[in-house]
Amino acid sequence: MRELAWSQRQLMPTRAEVINGQASGGLEGSAVRRQGRELDDARLALALCHADGRVRKAAVGKAAGRPALLPLVVVRCADWAAPVRERARTVLRVGLDGADVAGLAALVLKSGRRDRGEFAVGLLRELLRQAPHGRLIPLLADRDLDVRRFAHRIAVAERRLTPAELARTAARDKDMVVQNLCADAALAGASETDYDEVLVPLLGSRNPWVRSAGVTGLRRAGQAGRAQEFLADRSSLVRACARYVVRQEGVDPLPLYRDWCTRGGEMPPGAPAGLGECGVRADAELLWPLVRHPVGAVRVGAVVGLRALDAVEAERLRTLVDDPAPAVAREVVTALAPSAGSLDADWLLARLAPDRPRHTRLAAFRLLDVQGGLIQLRCAVALLNDSDDKLRRWSEQSVQRWRPSTDRPFGDAQVAELLGQCEHLFSTYVLDRLKREAGIRS
Protein backbone atom coordinates (compact mmCIF):
# COMPACT_ATOMS: atom_id res chain seq x y z
CA MET A 1 0.00 0.00 0.00
CA ARG A 2 2.96 2.33 0.57
CA GLU A 3 4.08 1.83 -3.02
CA LEU A 4 0.56 2.53 -4.27
CA ALA A 5 0.38 5.75 -2.24
CA TRP A 6 3.74 6.84 -3.70
CA SER A 7 2.46 6.19 -7.18
CA GLN A 8 -0.67 8.23 -6.55
CA ARG A 9 1.41 11.19 -5.36
CA GLN A 10 3.45 11.02 -8.54
CA LEU A 11 0.30 11.11 -10.67
CA MET A 12 -0.57 14.74 -9.91
CA PRO A 13 -0.09 16.64 -13.20
CA THR A 14 1.70 19.96 -13.34
CA ARG A 15 -0.04 23.13 -14.47
CA ALA A 16 1.90 23.06 -17.76
CA GLU A 17 0.73 19.52 -18.45
CA VAL A 18 -2.88 20.45 -17.88
CA ILE A 19 -2.54 23.40 -20.27
CA ASN A 20 -0.86 21.24 -22.92
CA GLY A 21 -3.50 18.54 -22.58
CA GLN A 22 -1.04 15.84 -21.54
CA ALA A 23 -2.81 15.21 -18.24
CA SER A 24 -6.15 14.58 -19.90
CA GLY A 25 -5.12 11.14 -21.08
CA GLY A 26 -5.24 11.53 -24.86
CA LEU A 27 -1.58 12.34 -25.53
CA GLU A 28 -0.48 10.16 -22.61
CA GLY A 29 -2.44 7.21 -23.94
CA SER A 30 -0.97 7.52 -27.41
CA ALA A 31 2.51 7.84 -25.92
CA VAL A 32 2.04 4.55 -24.10
CA ARG A 33 0.91 2.75 -27.21
CA ARG A 34 3.80 4.10 -29.31
CA GLN A 35 6.59 1.57 -29.10
CA GLY A 36 9.42 4.00 -29.65
CA ARG A 37 8.77 6.31 -26.73
CA GLU A 38 9.96 5.29 -23.26
CA LEU A 39 8.07 6.55 -20.20
CA ASP A 40 9.41 6.92 -16.69
CA ASP A 41 7.76 5.14 -13.75
CA ALA A 42 5.57 8.12 -12.82
CA ARG A 43 4.13 8.42 -16.36
CA LEU A 44 3.62 4.71 -16.61
CA ALA A 45 1.88 4.64 -13.24
CA LEU A 46 -0.53 7.26 -14.55
CA ALA A 47 -1.20 5.12 -17.61
CA LEU A 48 -1.85 2.06 -15.43
CA CYS A 49 -4.72 4.00 -13.86
CA HIS A 50 -6.05 5.30 -17.20
CA ALA A 51 -9.77 5.09 -17.98
CA ASP A 52 -9.10 3.55 -21.40
CA GLY A 53 -8.55 -0.18 -21.19
CA ARG A 54 -6.29 -0.17 -24.24
CA VAL A 55 -3.98 2.27 -22.50
CA ARG A 56 -3.97 0.19 -19.31
CA LYS A 57 -3.17 -2.94 -21.31
CA ALA A 58 -0.24 -1.26 -23.07
CA ALA A 59 1.01 0.18 -19.79
CA VAL A 60 0.90 -3.22 -18.09
CA GLY A 61 3.11 -4.65 -20.80
CA LYS A 62 5.67 -1.90 -20.35
CA ALA A 63 5.59 -2.30 -16.52
CA ALA A 64 7.40 -5.64 -16.76
CA GLY A 65 10.77 -5.45 -15.03
CA ARG A 66 9.88 -2.32 -13.03
CA PRO A 67 9.53 -3.31 -9.36
CA ALA A 68 8.17 0.11 -8.34
CA LEU A 69 5.09 -0.47 -10.51
CA LEU A 70 4.37 -3.99 -9.29
CA PRO A 71 1.72 -2.81 -6.76
CA LEU A 72 -0.29 -1.29 -9.61
CA VAL A 73 0.14 -4.47 -11.62
CA VAL A 74 -1.39 -6.35 -8.67
CA VAL A 75 -4.40 -4.04 -8.83
CA ARG A 76 -4.72 -4.56 -12.58
CA CYS A 77 -4.85 -8.33 -12.03
CA ALA A 78 -8.44 -7.75 -10.87
CA ASP A 79 -9.24 -5.32 -13.72
CA TRP A 80 -12.76 -5.53 -15.14
CA ALA A 81 -11.37 -5.72 -18.69
CA ALA A 82 -10.24 -9.26 -19.48
CA PRO A 83 -7.33 -8.29 -21.82
CA VAL A 84 -5.87 -5.99 -19.17
CA ARG A 85 -6.41 -8.59 -16.49
CA GLU A 86 -4.75 -11.41 -18.43
CA ARG A 87 -1.70 -9.36 -19.38
CA ALA A 88 -1.30 -8.12 -15.77
CA ARG A 89 -1.39 -11.68 -14.51
CA THR A 90 1.33 -12.70 -16.92
CA VAL A 91 3.52 -9.79 -15.79
CA LEU A 92 2.85 -10.51 -12.12
CA ARG A 93 3.67 -14.20 -12.51
CA VAL A 94 7.16 -13.26 -13.72
CA GLY A 95 7.71 -10.20 -11.53
CA LEU A 96 6.52 -11.60 -8.21
CA ASP A 97 9.22 -14.27 -8.06
CA GLY A 98 12.02 -11.76 -7.61
CA ALA A 99 10.01 -9.03 -5.84
CA ASP A 100 9.91 -7.96 -2.23
CA VAL A 101 7.09 -10.26 -1.17
CA ALA A 102 6.92 -8.78 2.32
CA GLY A 103 6.14 -5.36 0.87
CA LEU A 104 3.47 -6.67 -1.52
CA ALA A 105 1.70 -9.31 0.57
CA ALA A 106 -0.71 -6.90 2.29
CA LEU A 107 -1.80 -5.38 -1.02
CA VAL A 108 -2.21 -8.80 -2.65
CA LEU A 109 -4.42 -10.03 0.19
CA LYS A 110 -6.54 -6.89 0.16
CA SER A 111 -6.97 -7.08 -3.60
CA GLY A 112 -8.11 -10.66 -3.12
CA ARG A 113 -11.33 -9.34 -1.57
CA ARG A 114 -12.29 -7.78 -4.91
CA ASP A 115 -14.07 -9.57 -7.74
CA ARG A 116 -11.51 -11.47 -9.81
CA GLY A 117 -8.88 -10.75 -7.19
CA GLU A 118 -8.23 -14.34 -6.17
CA PHE A 119 -5.55 -14.90 -8.83
CA ALA A 120 -2.91 -12.77 -7.13
CA VAL A 121 -3.59 -14.45 -3.78
CA GLY A 122 -3.26 -17.90 -5.31
CA LEU A 123 -0.03 -16.88 -7.02
CA LEU A 124 1.41 -15.58 -3.74
CA ARG A 125 0.38 -18.78 -1.98
CA GLU A 126 2.08 -21.00 -4.53
CA LEU A 127 5.21 -18.83 -4.49
CA LEU A 128 5.54 -19.04 -0.70
CA ARG A 129 4.89 -22.78 -0.69
CA GLN A 130 7.80 -23.37 -3.06
CA ALA A 131 10.09 -20.60 -1.79
CA PRO A 132 12.86 -21.21 0.76
CA HIS A 133 11.85 -20.90 4.40
CA GLY A 134 13.89 -17.71 4.76
CA ARG A 135 11.50 -15.92 2.42
CA LEU A 136 8.52 -16.84 4.57
CA ILE A 137 10.05 -15.80 7.92
CA PRO A 138 9.50 -11.99 7.53
CA LEU A 139 5.79 -12.58 6.83
CA LEU A 140 5.39 -14.58 10.05
CA ALA A 141 6.21 -11.43 12.04
CA ASP A 142 4.52 -8.91 9.73
CA ARG A 143 2.57 -6.10 11.40
CA ASP A 144 -0.38 -6.66 9.06
CA LEU A 145 -2.78 -9.13 10.67
CA ASP A 146 -3.97 -10.68 7.40
CA VAL A 147 -0.40 -11.24 6.23
CA ARG A 148 0.59 -12.90 9.50
CA ARG A 149 -2.39 -15.24 9.41
CA PHE A 150 -1.79 -16.07 5.76
CA ALA A 151 1.88 -16.85 6.36
CA HIS A 152 1.20 -19.02 9.40
CA ARG A 153 -1.42 -21.05 7.53
CA ILE A 154 1.18 -21.80 4.87
CA ALA A 155 3.84 -22.56 7.48
CA VAL A 156 1.52 -25.03 9.22
CA ALA A 157 0.33 -26.66 5.99
CA GLU A 158 3.89 -27.05 4.68
CA ARG A 159 5.32 -28.00 8.09
CA ARG A 160 7.89 -25.23 7.99
CA LEU A 161 7.92 -24.82 11.80
CA THR A 162 8.72 -27.39 14.46
CA PRO A 163 6.13 -28.14 17.18
CA ALA A 164 8.26 -26.23 19.68
CA GLU A 165 8.40 -23.17 17.39
CA LEU A 166 4.64 -23.36 16.88
CA ALA A 167 4.08 -23.54 20.64
CA ARG A 168 6.27 -20.48 21.24
CA THR A 169 4.39 -18.59 18.53
CA ALA A 170 1.05 -19.53 20.06
CA ALA A 171 2.25 -18.26 23.43
CA ARG A 172 3.58 -14.91 22.27
CA ASP A 173 1.46 -13.84 19.28
CA LYS A 174 -1.32 -11.36 20.09
CA ASP A 175 -3.78 -12.59 17.45
CA MET A 176 -6.20 -15.28 18.57
CA VAL A 177 -6.42 -16.86 15.11
CA VAL A 178 -2.65 -17.34 14.98
CA GLN A 179 -2.62 -18.55 18.59
CA ASN A 180 -5.27 -21.19 17.99
CA LEU A 181 -3.78 -22.32 14.68
CA CYS A 182 -0.29 -22.73 16.10
CA ALA A 183 -1.41 -24.34 19.36
CA ASP A 184 -3.44 -26.98 17.54
CA ALA A 185 -0.61 -27.65 15.09
CA ALA A 186 1.98 -27.86 17.88
CA LEU A 187 0.01 -30.48 19.78
CA ALA A 188 -0.85 -32.42 16.63
CA GLY A 189 2.79 -32.58 15.56
CA ALA A 190 4.37 -33.19 18.95
CA SER A 191 6.06 -36.50 19.68
CA GLU A 192 7.02 -38.13 22.96
CA THR A 193 10.48 -36.58 22.83
CA ASP A 194 9.42 -32.95 22.46
CA TYR A 195 6.24 -32.75 24.55
CA ASP A 196 8.02 -30.76 27.26
CA GLU A 197 9.19 -28.14 24.75
CA VAL A 198 5.63 -27.84 23.47
CA LEU A 199 3.70 -27.88 26.75
CA VAL A 200 5.82 -25.41 28.71
CA PRO A 201 5.08 -22.41 26.43
CA LEU A 202 1.42 -23.38 26.05
CA LEU A 203 0.78 -23.80 29.77
CA GLY A 204 2.59 -20.55 30.55
CA SER A 205 0.67 -18.46 28.02
CA ARG A 206 -1.46 -15.52 29.14
CA ASN A 207 -4.14 -16.47 26.61
CA PRO A 208 -6.80 -18.76 28.14
CA TRP A 209 -7.40 -20.68 24.93
CA VAL A 210 -3.70 -21.48 24.52
CA ARG A 211 -3.44 -22.58 28.17
CA SER A 212 -6.53 -24.76 27.76
CA ALA A 213 -4.95 -26.40 24.71
CA GLY A 214 -1.86 -27.11 26.79
CA VAL A 215 -3.94 -28.58 29.61
CA THR A 216 -5.77 -30.86 27.19
CA GLY A 217 -2.41 -31.96 25.78
CA LEU A 218 -1.25 -33.10 29.22
CA ARG A 219 -3.28 -36.29 28.96
CA ARG A 220 -1.80 -37.24 25.59
CA ALA A 221 1.67 -36.55 26.99
CA GLY A 222 1.02 -38.90 29.92
CA GLN A 223 1.13 -36.03 32.42
CA ALA A 224 -2.55 -35.84 33.33
CA GLY A 225 -1.72 -35.42 37.01
CA ARG A 226 -0.39 -31.91 36.30
CA ALA A 227 -3.89 -30.86 35.26
CA GLN A 228 -4.83 -30.51 38.94
CA GLU A 229 -2.65 -27.40 39.05
CA PHE A 230 -5.05 -25.74 36.61
CA LEU A 231 -8.33 -26.62 38.33
CA ALA A 232 -8.18 -23.21 40.02
CA ASP A 233 -6.98 -21.27 36.97
CA ARG A 234 -8.29 -17.72 36.54
CA SER A 235 -10.03 -18.72 33.27
CA SER A 236 -13.26 -20.72 33.26
CA LEU A 237 -12.22 -22.36 29.98
CA VAL A 238 -8.95 -23.63 31.46
CA ARG A 239 -10.73 -24.84 34.59
CA ALA A 240 -13.25 -26.79 32.49
CA CYS A 241 -10.46 -28.45 30.48
CA ALA A 242 -8.59 -29.32 33.67
CA ARG A 243 -11.70 -30.94 35.16
CA TYR A 244 -12.13 -33.01 32.01
CA VAL A 245 -8.55 -34.26 32.15
CA VAL A 246 -8.58 -35.19 35.83
CA ARG A 247 -11.93 -36.94 35.48
CA GLN A 248 -10.51 -39.05 32.67
CA GLU A 249 -7.96 -40.22 35.22
CA GLY A 250 -10.68 -41.15 37.70
CA VAL A 251 -10.25 -38.12 39.98
CA ASP A 252 -13.30 -36.17 41.16
CA PRO A 253 -12.41 -32.45 41.27
CA LEU A 254 -15.28 -31.47 43.59
CA PRO A 255 -13.61 -32.57 46.86
CA LEU A 256 -10.48 -30.71 45.81
CA TYR A 257 -12.46 -27.49 45.32
CA ARG A 258 -14.21 -27.90 48.67
CA ASP A 259 -10.88 -28.44 50.40
CA TRP A 260 -9.38 -25.33 48.78
CA CYS A 261 -12.36 -23.19 49.81
CA THR A 262 -11.81 -23.99 53.47
CA ARG A 263 -8.11 -23.10 53.55
CA GLY A 264 -8.46 -19.37 54.06
CA GLY A 265 -5.31 -17.51 53.10
CA GLU A 266 -3.77 -20.44 51.16
CA MET A 267 -6.68 -20.66 48.78
CA PRO A 268 -6.06 -20.38 44.98
CA PRO A 269 -8.09 -17.39 43.69
CA GLY A 270 -9.89 -19.48 41.05
CA ALA A 271 -11.08 -22.15 43.49
CA PRO A 272 -14.40 -20.49 44.53
CA ALA A 273 -15.45 -20.05 40.90
CA GLY A 274 -14.49 -23.66 40.17
CA LEU A 275 -16.56 -24.87 43.11
CA GLY A 276 -19.58 -23.01 41.75
CA GLU A 277 -19.07 -24.52 38.30
CA CYS A 278 -19.10 -28.15 39.42
CA GLY A 279 -20.67 -28.04 42.90
CA VAL A 280 -24.20 -28.31 44.23
CA ARG A 281 -26.40 -25.60 45.71
CA ALA A 282 -25.42 -26.56 49.26
CA ASP A 283 -21.83 -25.54 48.46
CA ALA A 284 -22.97 -21.93 48.55
CA GLU A 285 -22.45 -22.05 52.31
CA LEU A 286 -18.71 -22.42 51.65
CA LEU A 287 -18.74 -19.45 49.28
CA TRP A 288 -20.62 -16.83 51.31
CA PRO A 289 -17.80 -16.34 53.84
CA LEU A 290 -15.40 -15.80 50.93
CA VAL A 291 -17.16 -12.66 49.71
CA ARG A 292 -15.35 -10.95 52.63
CA HIS A 293 -11.97 -12.52 51.88
CA PRO A 294 -9.04 -10.05 52.03
CA VAL A 295 -7.89 -10.99 48.50
CA GLY A 296 -9.93 -9.30 45.78
CA ALA A 297 -9.51 -12.14 43.27
CA VAL A 298 -11.00 -14.57 45.80
CA ARG A 299 -13.99 -12.27 46.34
CA VAL A 300 -14.51 -12.15 42.57
CA GLY A 301 -14.39 -15.95 42.41
CA ALA A 302 -16.87 -16.25 45.26
CA VAL A 303 -19.40 -14.03 43.46
CA VAL A 304 -18.86 -15.99 40.23
CA GLY A 305 -19.40 -19.23 42.11
CA LEU A 306 -22.61 -18.02 43.77
CA ARG A 307 -23.98 -16.96 40.42
CA ALA A 308 -23.09 -20.33 38.88
CA LEU A 309 -24.94 -22.10 41.72
CA ASP A 310 -27.94 -19.77 41.32
CA ALA A 311 -27.51 -18.88 45.00
CA VAL A 312 -27.36 -15.09 44.71
CA GLU A 313 -29.17 -13.21 47.49
CA ALA A 314 -29.52 -9.58 46.50
CA GLU A 315 -29.60 -8.06 49.98
CA ARG A 316 -26.54 -9.98 51.16
CA LEU A 317 -24.57 -9.26 48.02
CA ARG A 318 -25.47 -5.63 47.34
CA THR A 319 -22.98 -4.27 49.87
CA LEU A 320 -20.19 -5.42 47.55
CA VAL A 321 -21.14 -2.58 45.22
CA ASP A 322 -18.95 -0.56 47.64
CA ASP A 323 -16.07 -3.04 47.34
CA PRO A 324 -12.68 -1.32 46.86
CA ALA A 325 -11.79 -3.69 43.99
CA PRO A 326 -13.35 -2.66 40.64
CA ALA A 327 -13.40 -6.29 39.45
CA VAL A 328 -15.56 -7.28 42.41
CA ALA A 329 -18.02 -4.45 41.77
CA ARG A 330 -18.30 -5.40 38.09
CA GLU A 331 -18.98 -9.04 38.93
CA VAL A 332 -21.56 -8.05 41.54
CA VAL A 333 -23.44 -6.01 38.94
CA THR A 334 -23.57 -9.05 36.66
CA ALA A 335 -24.87 -11.19 39.52
CA LEU A 336 -27.47 -8.66 40.71
CA ALA A 337 -28.75 -7.45 37.31
CA PRO A 338 -31.58 -10.04 37.09
CA SER A 339 -32.90 -8.97 40.52
CA ALA A 340 -32.00 -5.26 40.31
CA GLY A 341 -35.67 -4.27 40.68
CA SER A 342 -35.67 -5.56 44.27
CA LEU A 343 -32.79 -3.29 45.33
CA ASP A 344 -33.32 -0.04 47.22
CA ALA A 345 -33.22 2.65 44.53
CA ASP A 346 -32.37 5.43 46.99
CA TRP A 347 -29.45 3.39 48.32
CA LEU A 348 -28.11 3.03 44.79
CA LEU A 349 -28.76 6.70 43.94
CA ALA A 350 -26.63 7.71 46.92
CA ARG A 351 -23.73 5.83 45.33
CA LEU A 352 -23.84 8.09 42.30
CA ALA A 353 -22.45 10.95 44.39
CA PRO A 354 -19.27 12.51 42.95
CA ASP A 355 -17.25 11.68 46.07
CA ARG A 356 -17.75 7.94 45.55
CA PRO A 357 -15.09 5.84 43.77
CA ARG A 358 -15.56 5.76 40.02
CA HIS A 359 -16.15 2.00 39.81
CA THR A 360 -18.79 2.25 42.54
CA ARG A 361 -20.64 4.98 40.63
CA LEU A 362 -20.51 2.94 37.42
CA ALA A 363 -21.82 -0.15 39.20
CA ALA A 364 -24.68 1.77 40.81
CA PHE A 365 -25.63 3.37 37.50
CA ARG A 366 -25.77 0.00 35.73
CA LEU A 367 -28.04 -1.44 38.41
CA LEU A 368 -30.35 1.59 38.26
CA ASP A 369 -30.36 1.61 34.48
CA VAL A 370 -31.58 -2.00 34.15
CA GLN A 371 -34.56 -1.21 36.41
CA GLY A 372 -36.13 0.91 33.69
CA GLY A 373 -39.08 3.26 34.21
CA LEU A 374 -38.82 6.39 36.32
CA ILE A 375 -35.76 5.15 38.22
CA GLN A 376 -33.78 4.77 35.02
CA LEU A 377 -34.78 8.23 33.81
CA ARG A 378 -34.03 9.89 37.16
CA CYS A 379 -30.50 8.53 37.47
CA ALA A 380 -29.69 9.21 33.81
CA VAL A 381 -30.87 12.83 33.91
CA ALA A 382 -28.98 13.38 37.16
CA LEU A 383 -25.71 12.50 35.40
CA LEU A 384 -26.16 14.41 32.14
CA ASN A 385 -23.72 17.09 33.29
CA ASP A 386 -21.40 14.81 35.26
CA SER A 387 -17.67 15.45 35.11
CA ASP A 388 -16.96 11.80 34.28
CA ASP A 389 -17.00 11.32 30.50
CA LYS A 390 -18.05 7.68 30.64
CA LEU A 391 -20.94 8.27 33.04
CA ARG A 392 -22.08 11.25 31.03
CA ARG A 393 -22.06 9.24 27.81
CA TRP A 394 -23.86 6.32 29.44
CA SER A 395 -26.52 8.63 30.84
CA GLU A 396 -27.18 10.20 27.44
CA GLN A 397 -27.55 6.77 25.87
CA SER A 398 -29.83 5.68 28.70
CA VAL A 399 -32.14 8.66 28.18
CA GLN A 400 -32.28 8.05 24.44
CA ARG A 401 -33.34 4.44 24.83
CA TRP A 402 -35.76 5.10 27.70
CA ARG A 403 -39.41 4.16 27.19
CA PRO A 404 -42.44 4.78 29.45
CA SER A 405 -43.44 1.94 31.76
CA THR A 406 -46.44 1.06 33.87
CA ASP A 407 -44.79 2.15 37.11
CA ARG A 408 -46.02 5.73 36.59
CA PRO A 409 -49.47 7.02 35.60
CA PHE A 410 -50.17 8.22 32.07
CA GLY A 411 -49.13 11.88 31.75
CA ASP A 412 -47.05 11.90 34.96
CA ALA A 413 -45.76 15.38 35.80
CA GLN A 414 -42.39 14.09 37.10
CA VAL A 415 -41.71 12.28 33.84
CA ALA A 416 -42.62 15.45 31.92
CA GLU A 417 -40.20 17.50 34.03
CA LEU A 418 -37.35 15.01 33.51
CA LEU A 419 -37.90 14.85 29.76
CA GLY A 420 -37.87 18.63 29.67
CA GLN A 421 -34.31 18.59 31.03
CA CYS A 422 -32.98 16.44 28.20
CA GLU A 423 -34.71 17.83 25.12
CA HIS A 424 -31.32 18.50 23.53
CA LEU A 425 -30.76 14.76 23.15
CA PHE A 426 -33.69 14.27 20.78
CA SER A 427 -34.95 15.61 17.50
CA THR A 428 -38.30 17.39 17.67
CA TYR A 429 -40.07 14.48 16.00
CA VAL A 430 -38.61 11.82 18.33
CA LEU A 431 -39.25 13.89 21.45
CA ASP A 432 -42.89 14.52 20.46
CA ARG A 433 -43.41 10.82 19.82
CA LEU A 434 -41.84 9.91 23.19
CA LYS A 435 -44.06 12.39 25.00
CA ARG A 436 -47.15 10.98 23.29
CA GLU A 437 -46.17 7.49 24.46
CA ALA A 438 -45.92 8.86 28.02
CA GLY A 439 -49.23 10.77 27.70
CA ILE A 440 -47.55 14.18 27.94
CA ARG A 441 -48.78 17.10 25.89
CA SER A 442 -46.11 18.82 23.80
Side-chain angles (χ1 to χ4, degrees):
M1 295 305 289
R2 292 191 295 269
E3 291 84 352
L4 185 56
W6 173 85
S7 300
Q8 290 172 337
R9 288 196 298 271
Q10 302 302 316
L11 301 185
M12 296 301 294
T14 65
R15 183 172 181 272
E17 289 170 336
V18 174
I19 293 173
N20 293 330
Q22 293 175 337
S24 64
L27 293 177
E28 192 69 43
S30 63
V32 173
R33 292 195 296 272
R34 282 201 300 268
Q35 296 297 322
R37 182 175 175 184
E38 285 295 329
L39 300 177
D40 59 16
D41 286 353
R43 293 293 182 189
L44 206 50
L46 179 62
L48 283 166
C49 300
H50 201 279
D52 190 331
R54 293 169 297 179
V55 176
R56 295 199 305 276
K57 179 181 177 183
V60 168
K62 292 180 178 295
R66 302 193 185 193
L69 296 177
L70 210 54
L72 287 174
V73 174
V74 171
V75 175
R76 294 280 71 86
C77 284
D79 198 282
W80 67 270
V84 179
R85 190 166 64 246
E86 293 306 320
R87 179 168 290 188
R89 291 176 177 182
T90 302
V91 172
L92 183 64
R93 192 187 303 274
V94 176
L96 192 60
D97 187 49
D100 177 17
V101 178
L104 282 174
L107 176 61
V108 169
L109 295 177
K110 286 177 174 59
S111 69
R113 302 172 188 170
R114 303 173 61 193
D115 291 340
R116 303 173 294 272
E118 67 282 353
F119 174 84
V121 177
L123 192 61
L124 178 63
R125 183 181 293 110
E126 287 304 313
L127 174 67
L128 292 176
R129 281 178 174 174
Q130 300 171 12
H133 182 57
R135 201 167 185 189
L136 183 63
I137 288 178
L139 302 184
L140 296 174
D142 198 279
R143 290 182 300 175
D144 188 278
L145 192 59
D146 291 333
V147 173
R148 213 159 67 246
R149 291 176 177 178
F150 183 80
H152 277 94
R153 289 190 180 102
I154 293 176
V156 169
E158 299 298 316
R159 299 185 178 181
R160 299 288 186 88
L161 299 173
T162 66
E165 290 173 328
L166 288 168
R168 289 194 293 271
T169 299
R172 69 170 180 262
D173 200 282
K174 296 181 180 180
D175 178 52
M176 185 171 291
V177 174
V178 174
Q179 291 170 351
N180 296 353
L181 177 70
C182 292
D184 288 341
L187 290 172
S191 62
E192 294 182 1
T193 58
D194 55 14
Y195 262 121
D196 286 342
E197 294 182 351
V198 170
L199 291 176
V200 169
L202 296 181
L203 294 173
S205 172
R206 297 183 62 183
N207 179 271
W209 200 97
V210 176
R211 286 203 310 282
S212 68
V215 170
T216 306
L218 286 171
R219 183 166 178 255
R220 183 179 169 187
Q223 305 177 30
R226 290 183 57 190
Q228 293 189 25
E229 304 171 21
F230 297 89
L231 287 172
D233 192 90
R234 60 184 180 274
S235 165
S236 59
L237 175 62
V238 178
R239 292 194 298 268
C241 290
R243 287 195 294 271
Y244 167 78
V245 173
V246 299
R247 282 169 177 156
Q248 296 302 306
E249 296 299 308
V251 177
D252 184 2
L254 185 55
L256 297 175
Y257 282 124
R258 287 171 175 163
D259 179 59
W260 277 328
C261 289
T262 57
R263 289 187 182 180
E266 301 178 4
M267 182 190 329
L275 177 59
E277 290 160 353
C278 70
V280 296
R281 195 178 179 88
D283 289 319
E285 295 305 316
L286 293 176
L287 296 178
W288 277 112
L290 300 181
V291 301
R292 304 296 177 194
H293 196 276
V295 178
V298 173
R299 298 198 298 276
V300 171
V303 177
V304 171
L306 289 169
R307 182 160 58 89
L309 293 172
D310 193 22
V312 172
E313 297 178 22
E315 285 302 314
R316 291 180 69 179
L317 207 57
R318 72 166 186 171
T319 56
L320 290 183
V321 171
D322 293 325
D323 195 278
V328 177
R330 286 194 298 268
E331 196 57 50
V332 167
V333 170
T334 304
L336 292 180
S339 56
S342 65
L343 298 175
D344 185 348
D346 291 332
W347 184 86
L348 289 173
L349 285 168
R351 274 135 190 85
L352 296 177
D355 59 339
R356 296 278 183 170
R358 184 172 186 264
H359 67 271
T360 300
R361 302 181 73 209
L362 293 171
F365 177 86
R366 289 176 59 191
L367 290 173
L368 289 165
D369 184 59
V370 297
Q371 293 187 32
L374 181 64
I375 296 300
Q376 176 193 353
L377 189 59
R378 278 179 59 197
C379 77
V381 171
L383 296 173
L384 285 178
N385 297 315
D386 197 86
S387 58
D388 188 286
D389 291 339
K390 189 170 187 177
L391 271 173
R392 189 168 61 251
R393 184 171 66 253
W394 280 10
S395 65
E396 291 174 353
Q397 295 170 351
S398 179
V399 168
Q400 290 170 336
R401 67 172 178 267
W402 178 84
R403 287 297 177 269
S405 62
T406 57
D407 67 333
R408 304 299 295 179
F410 206 56
D412 185 72
Q414 191 173 358
V415 172
E417 180 183 354
L418 291 171
L419 286 178
Q421 298 178 40
C422 50
E423 292 181 350
H424 61 287
L425 298 177
F426 302 95
S427 66
T428 303
Y429 169 78
V430 172
L431 183 61
D432 288 345
R433 187 180 63 183
L434 189 60
K435 286 183 176 180
R436 284 197 300 272
E437 290 178 13
I440 300 168
R441 292 185 178 181
S442 299

